[in-house]
Each structure stands twice: as C-alpha cells, then as structure tokens.
C-alpha cells in the first residue's frame, strides 16, 4: 500500500540574509552606501541545508533540536510563510498553526470576539466560525469570562482560548509549537486527549517540543536537527537517544 | 471552480471586514466620548487655523471655517491611515510569522477604518454647510462617493508601500512623519489652489495626490462644480499609486516573516 504524503521536504536549505545593515539606520546606510550594499549581499545566516524528510498523512511527527537549530523555521516553511532558499517543499492539505500566546488576539476585545477574529485569521469563514462558536466556548471552559475583554485573562486562560480555536478549525495538518507548556494539568491532559482524537481521525500532527515525554507519547516519527543539518530521521526512541547525546 | 472562487473572495471579504470591525471596536472601547473624538481633532484644528489665518493674518477667503473643514476631514483620513500603516505589519508580527492569511487585509482594514470615520464626519460638514446657508445637490450624491473611492485607492497604495518598506528600513517611519507634515502645507487645505504661484503649481499638482482630491471635494461642496482636469489627474494618480503599492507589497511579502 502506498501511503499518501502530507509534507515532503526535498533537499531544503534555508539561508537568512541578515538585514541589520539597513535596519542599523539611514545614516550608516547612506554614508557607507557601496560597502553597505556589498555587505548586504554577503552576510547571511545558514539555518540548515539539504534537509529531506516525508510526513505521511495521519502521522504524528516530532521535530527536536536545540534552541536556534531551526525547528520553528521548519514550521514556518510548512505553513508557507517563508520560502526555502533552495529545494522543494510540497504540502497537501490545509495547515493550521497553533499561535503563540495571544497572537492575533486583541486585549480589548472579549473572548467571544477574539474567537471570531482568530478563526478568520486561521482561514475559516465567518459563517463557519459562528456555527462552531458554542463548541469552541465549551471546550475552552472559560464560562462567563468569555464575555470579558481578554486583557484580564491569565496566561493559562489565553492558552485555552487559543487552543480551543485552533483545534476547531478542522485542519488537515496541525502545527504545534511548544504551546502545551502553559495551562494547568487538567487542561493539558484535555489537549493531549484531543490531539489523540485528531490522530485517530487521521489528522497529520507536527510537533515541536522540548518535552521528550510528549514527543514519546504522541509521535511515531521524528527528526532531529542541529549543526545546520538533519541529524536523524526515523523512529522516536532512537532519535531521542541521539538527541540526548548532543 | 467558480464556486470555489466566489467562496474564496467571500473569505477575503470576511477577513477584511472582521479586521476592520476589530479596529473600529478597539478604537473607542475604552473612551466614553467615542465618536466625538474623531471629529474633535479636525474641528479644533479648523478653529486654530481660523484664528491664525483669518483673524490674525486676514486671509481673503469666504466662509473660511467651512473651507477649512472640507479640507481637513479628508486629510485626516489620509494622514491617519498612512501613519497607522507604518506600524500595521509590525504590530501583527506574531501572526505574520505563523499564518498565511492575506497580509494586505491588515492595511485595507486600516484604511477602511479611517474611511468610515471620514464618512461619519460628513454630517458635521453638512451641518456647518447649512449654518452658512448653503445646500448640496444631486451632483454631490454621485461624485462624493466616487471621490471616496479614489481616495481609498490613493491611501491604500501608499499604505501598502509604506508598511512593507518600513519593515526593511525602519527609518521610513520617521520620514513618513516628517513628509506628512510637509505635504500638509503643500496641499491646498489652508489656501486656495489659485493662490499658488504659476511656476510651482504644476509640480505640486502632479506630485501630490491629495492636491486634486482636496480641490475636488471643496469645489463639489462649496461651488457644486466638478473640474474634469482635476478629476482625470486624480483617477490617473490613484491607479498608478495603487498599482505600485500592490506590486511593491507583493514583491516584498515573502520576506516579511524573515525580518519581523
């Protein structure tokens, strides 16, 4: 049986140009124009090159690596917000990222208003969000707080709100970036359960986490990145073993 | 296919409207006087300028308060939108880094927001108009909305340029602030266009997209006339500026997530 792929990275490299020469200021830029332009072309930062891996549909896939190794860059590439410098990325299906705490929320709007706004930013039409509003609110367990401006929310409550919207968007591919480190234990458990449900339904889940326990519990395959390249691609246990020796 | 396309467009409309609604709600959510604030600024400006130019310097323009107000309200829309656009992408950095929503919508929402405030200020202009014993005509009903569309294109075009270039070149923010200040005095808001010395007149008209627009608004409301030459110039400028804005923004938008 040939499995369908959800995400394919084919020899992907990402090099960031460094922009500080212009952002350093107009004066510097103007008075050192030829040099500034030359430097702009030359200075760059290589995150990684020649990264190739495949994520199959319905798979739970972990990405681990030290800080700055490029985990979030991979998520960004999958989400399509940045383009690879070389190589090819194929993504099949609707990608929903988990937004970091409060991203896309406005502090002065109520929880309910923020759900609508956030849902639209994540790609749902307004009609669809309104039809899901009740189940989103229920999942968040925020109760009467849903009518309050979210500036008075605790960080745990914000996480609940964000998570509740994201999991109700019916994604094909869910990108999870360290989001579960907030929220209390029961809610974390609830989120993990929901992720398991997603797995059962055949949603592809891609997780970036420092929590090895979580990776071990949820993922079937992982990649380890570091040293500007792909260090490992395969089974979870061996990958984590390798990661620990880094 | 057709259905897909229309649902896609519907989604963008939802997106822009919802962002607009957010800005609109947020602006007044914690202020009691709300709407009054958006008309208070041009109003106090008008009074100040009246004092300086009519009362002290004795400028020879009839109905000077009305004259000022008609110029100041559209200018406020223009300048508020451009200023807000310098920050529109930066303040949504975390979203831009993670999701692939249509980035332009942030700017359209900003411009739309100030546009609605401008539209809401029209009753004030009309009240002042009636106080001066004047009235509007059918011309107004047709041309005024057209002018608003032209100004929307001009303002959006510049916003698209300013917001995207500012990410790579943060000094632009300051340059915009200074330029808006200069541009204000190079636009016939405080004076009549015919007062400008002939040798400079054409430069000002051609290089300043708010120039013909302000004159158009004022002629329509005060004299009930439409100057075709200004109208054509203005439409032409609007299309060019919007196209440039659109192209620049789309060229740069792939790098937004990298620089933010």
């Amino acid at each position: 049986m040939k499995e369908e792929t959800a995400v394919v990275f084919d020899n992907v490299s990402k090099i960031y140009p460094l922009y500080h020469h212009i952002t350093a200021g107009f004066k510097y830029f103007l008075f050192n124009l030829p040099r500034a332009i030359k430097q702009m072309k030359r200075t760059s930062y290589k995150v990684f090159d020649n990264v190739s891996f495949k994520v199959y549909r319905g798979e739970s896939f972990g990405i681990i690596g030290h800080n700055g190794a490029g985990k979030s860059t991979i998520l960004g590439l999958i989400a399509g917000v940045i383009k690879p410098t070389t190589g090819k990325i194929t993504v099949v299906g609707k990608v929903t990222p988990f937004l970091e705490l409060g991203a896309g929320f406005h502090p002065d709007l109520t929880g309910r208003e923020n759900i609508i706004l956030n849902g639209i930013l994540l790609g749902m039409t307004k009609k669809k969000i309104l039809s899901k509003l009740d189940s989103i609110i229920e999942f968040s367990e925020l109760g009467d707080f849903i009518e309050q401006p979210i500036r008075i929310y605790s960080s745990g409550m914000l996480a609940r709100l964000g998570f509740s919207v994201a999991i109700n968007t019916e994604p094909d591919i869910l990108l999870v970036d360290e989001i579960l480190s907030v929220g209390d234990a029961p809610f974390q458990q609830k989120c993990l359960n929901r992720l398991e449900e997603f797995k059962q339904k055949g949603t592809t889940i891609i997780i970036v986490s420092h929590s090895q326990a979580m990776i071990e519990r949820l993922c079937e395959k992982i990649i380890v990145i570091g040293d500007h390249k792909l260090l490992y691609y395969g089974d979870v246990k061996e990958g984590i073993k390798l990661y620990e020796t880094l | 296919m057709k259905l897909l396309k229309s649902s896609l467009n519907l989604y963008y409309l939802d997106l822009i409207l919802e962002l607009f609604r957010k800005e609109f709600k947020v602006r007044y959510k914690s202020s009691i006087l709300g709407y009054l604030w958006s008309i208070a600024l041009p109003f106090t400006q008008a009074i100040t300028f009246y004092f300086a130019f009519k009362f002290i310097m004795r400028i020879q323009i009839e109905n000077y308060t009305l004259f000022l107000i008609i110029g100041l309200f559209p200018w406020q829309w223009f300048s508020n939108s451009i200023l807000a656009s310098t920050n529109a992408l930066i303040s949504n950095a975390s979203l831009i880094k993670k999701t692939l929503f249509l980035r332009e919508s942030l700017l359209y929402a900003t411009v739309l927001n100030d546009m609605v405030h401008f539209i809401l200020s029209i009753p004030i202009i009309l009240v002042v108009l009636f106080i001066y014993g004047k009235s509007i005509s059918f011309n107004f009903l047709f041309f005024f909305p057209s002018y608003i569309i032209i100004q929307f294109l001009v303002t959006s075009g510049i916003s698209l340029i300013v917001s995207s270039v500012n990410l790579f070149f943060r000094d632009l923010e300051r340059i915009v602030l200074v330029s808006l200040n200069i541009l204000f005095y190079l636009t016939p808001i405080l004076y009549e266009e015919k007062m400008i010395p002939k040798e400079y007149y054409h430069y000002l008209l051609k290089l300043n997209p708010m120039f013909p627009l302000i004159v158009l608004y004022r002629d329509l409301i005060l004299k009930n006339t439409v100057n075709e030459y200004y109208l054509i110039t203005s439409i032409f400028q609007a299309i060019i500026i919007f196209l440039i804005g659109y192209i620049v923004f789309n060229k740069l938008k792939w790098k937004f997530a990298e620089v933010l």
Side-chain angles (χ1 to χ4, degrees):
Chain A
M1 194 183 86
K2 198 166 172 275
E3 285 179 279
E4 284 174 77
T5 53
V7 178
V8 180
F9 269 52
D10 185 13
N11 260 320
V12 172
S13 305
K14 182 67 201 171
I15 297 169
Y16 283 118
L18 295 179
Y19 292 97
H20 62 260
H21 297 293
I22 348 176
T23 45
F26 190 52
K27 205 175 80 188
Y28 175 86
F29 188 74
L30 207 64
F31 289 124
N32 301 284
L33 199 58
R35 204 170 72 201
I37 288 174
K38 210 184 276 170
Q39 275 179 342
M40 258 166 63
K41 284 189 178 149
R42 205 176 48 217
T43 52
S44 56
Y45 175 72
K46 184 173 77 180
V47 191
F48 46 67
D49 45 30
N50 297 325
V51 170
S52 300
F53 62 85
K54 278 180 188 167
V55 182
Y56 290 97
R57 218 161 95 188
E59 201 169 45
S60 295
F61 196 87
I63 302 172
I64 52 177
H66 290 298
N67 288 335
K71 301 183 296 285
S72 300
T73 300
I74 291 183
L75 288 191
L77 287 165
I78 296 171
V81 296
I82 48 181
K83 280 184 169 174
T85 312
T86 60
K88 194 164 171 263
I89 297 168
T90 319
V91 177
V92 182
K94 179 171 171 279
V95 181
T96 298
F98 266 18
L99 299 174
E100 58 206 61
L101 217 56
F105 287 159
H106 196 286
D108 285 334
L109 297 179
T110 67
R112 183 188 294 271
E113 288 166 334
N114 269 303
I115 290 174
I116 296 172
L117 179 65
N118 215 257
I120 284 184
L121 288 170
L122 289 178
M124 286 193 279
T125 59
K126 186 156 184 189
K127 209 169 137 194
K128 193 148 182 210
I129 300 162
L130 291 177
S131 72
K132 288 180 173 255
L133 198 56
D134 290 334
S135 62
I136 296 175
I137 292 173
E138 201 190 306
F139 187 87
S140 71
E141 297 173 2
L142 286 166
D144 292 338
F145 275 105
I146 207 72
E147 310 299 344
Q148 296 296 321
I150 65 163
R151 60 165 185 268
I152 68 163
Y153 284 24
S154 68
S155 56
M157 289 161 79
L158 278 177
R160 278 163 183 249
L161 194 66
F163 189 84
S164 307
V165 180
I167 59 159
N168 278 291
T169 55
E170 295 175 0
D172 300 315
I173 302 169
L174 192 62
L175 305 181
V176 185
D177 191 356
E178 290 291 359
I179 194 101
L180 294 179
S181 45
V182 282
D184 53 17
F187 189 72
Q188 272 194 28
Q189 194 52 47
K190 194 172 166 185
C191 293
L192 284 175
N193 291 343
R194 186 50 83 100
L195 287 179
E196 300 267 7
E197 269 175 49
F198 268 119
K199 268 178 73 170
Q200 249 120 58
K201 273 199 294 187
T203 307
T204 312
I205 304 173
I206 299 174
I207 301 170
V208 166
S209 182
H210 288 291
S211 153
Q212 289 169 11
M214 186 174 147
I215 296 266
E216 248 172 311
R217 176 173 163 186
L218 286 169
C219 299
E220 288 129 27
K221 263 202 193 136
I222 58 169
I223 53 171
V224 182
I225 47 171
D227 208 13
H228 307 297
K229 57 181 185 255
L230 183 70
L231 295 174
Y232 178 84
Y233 167 38
D235 273 349
V236 178
K237 282 227 166 69
E238 263 178 71
I240 288 179
K241 225 181 275 168
L242 179 89
Y243 176 64
E244 279 168 343
T245 64
L246 282 182
Chain B
M1 188 63 211
K2 207 176 169 190
L3 198 75
L4 181 82
K5 213 176 159 196
S6 73
S7 77
L8 215 64
N9 290 341
L10 214 65
Y11 167 66
Y12 289 147
L13 198 66
D14 273 358
L15 179 63
I16 292 170
L17 285 181
E18 198 52 44
L19 285 169
F20 155 72
R21 203 167 296 148
K22 173 197 109 182
E23 300 244 333
F24 198 78
K25 273 187 206 155
V26 165
R27 188 178 285 196
Y28 296 126
K29 208 144 196 174
S30 38
S31 83
I32 302 163
L33 292 176
Y35 165 65
L36 285 180
W37 286 118
S38 70
I39 49 175
L41 182 72
F43 227 73
T44 46
Q45 271 183 322
I47 293 166
T48 316
F49 288 132
Y50 183 88
F51 180 78
F53 295 107
K54 186 80 180 178
F55 192 69
I56 310 272
M57 292 169 72
R58 313 276 167 101
I59 194 170
Q60 293 300 314
I61 294 174
E62 272 181 73
N63 305 334
Y64 194 55
T65 314
L66 183 59
F67 181 93
L68 284 171
I69 284 175
I70 295 169
L72 285 168
F73 278 108
W75 176 263
Q76 166 155 286
W77 168 16
F78 177 76
S79 100
N80 280 354
S81 286
I82 305 291
L83 271 182
S85 76
T86 57
N87 211 21
L89 296 175
I90 295 169
S91 61
N92 286 291
S94 51
L95 267 181
I96 288 170
K97 278 167 129 166
K98 295 228 161 157
T99 64
L100 200 60
F101 72 104
L102 194 75
R103 279 105 170 82
E104 293 94 310
S105 56
L106 288 170
L107 295 152
Y108 297 140
T110 308
V111 179
L112 208 59
N113 189 27
D114 289 309
M115 182 182 102
V116 169
H117 281 97
F118 170 61
I119 292 172
L120 289 175
S121 69
I122 293 170
I124 307 295
I125 298 177
L126 295 183
V127 167
V128 179
L129 197 68
F130 294 133
I131 292 174
Y132 276 92
K134 290 170 173 287
S135 62
I136 50 163
S137 70
F138 274 122
N139 259 349
F140 180 84
L141 295 178
F142 173 73
F143 283 102
F144 203 79
S146 328
Y147 296 171
I148 289 179
I149 294 169
I150 297 172
Q151 192 178 341
F152 182 82
L153 287 177
V154 169
T155 314
S156 301
I158 298 176
S159 292
L160 288 170
I161 299 170
V162 166
S163 63
S164 54
V165 175
N166 188 41
L167 293 185
F168 301 87
F169 181 63
R170 298 277 168 110
D171 289 58
L172 187 66
E173 215 170 309
R174 316 283 160 167
I175 297 172
V176 165
L177 198 65
V178 176
S179 312
L180 277 173
N181 204 10
I182 297 170
L183 204 62
F184 175 78
Y185 290 98
L186 295 181
T187 308
I189 295 169
L190 301 175
Y191 47 84
E192 286 179 304
E193 67 280 9
K194 62 182 185 216
M195 295 170 163
I196 303 169
K198 275 227 157 50
E199 59 265 43
Y200 304 117
Y201 172 81
H202 276 282
Y203 294 109
L204 290 185
L205 175 65
K206 286 194 177 118
L207 295 174
N208 177 1
M210 284 308 283
F211 188 123
L213 262 170
I214 296 285
V215 178
L216 283 169
Y217 279 121
R218 199 157 53 210
D219 280 355
L220 184 66
I221 295 172
L222 286 182
K223 300 183 202 149
N224 191 20
T225 58
V226 177
N227 183 323
E228 287 95 353
Y229 176 64
Y230 282 145
L231 184 58
I232 290 163
T233 310
S234 200
I235 292 172
F236 192 67
Q237 286 174 339
I239 293 171
I240 298 276
I241 289 172
F242 185 76
L243 278 179
I244 294 175
Y246 188 83
I247 292 166
V248 168
F249 194 90
N250 280 291
K251 274 250 146 77
L252 292 176
K253 78 172 171 192
W254 292 106
K255 308 232 173 224
F256 289 176
E258 290 178 9
V259 282
L260 274 168

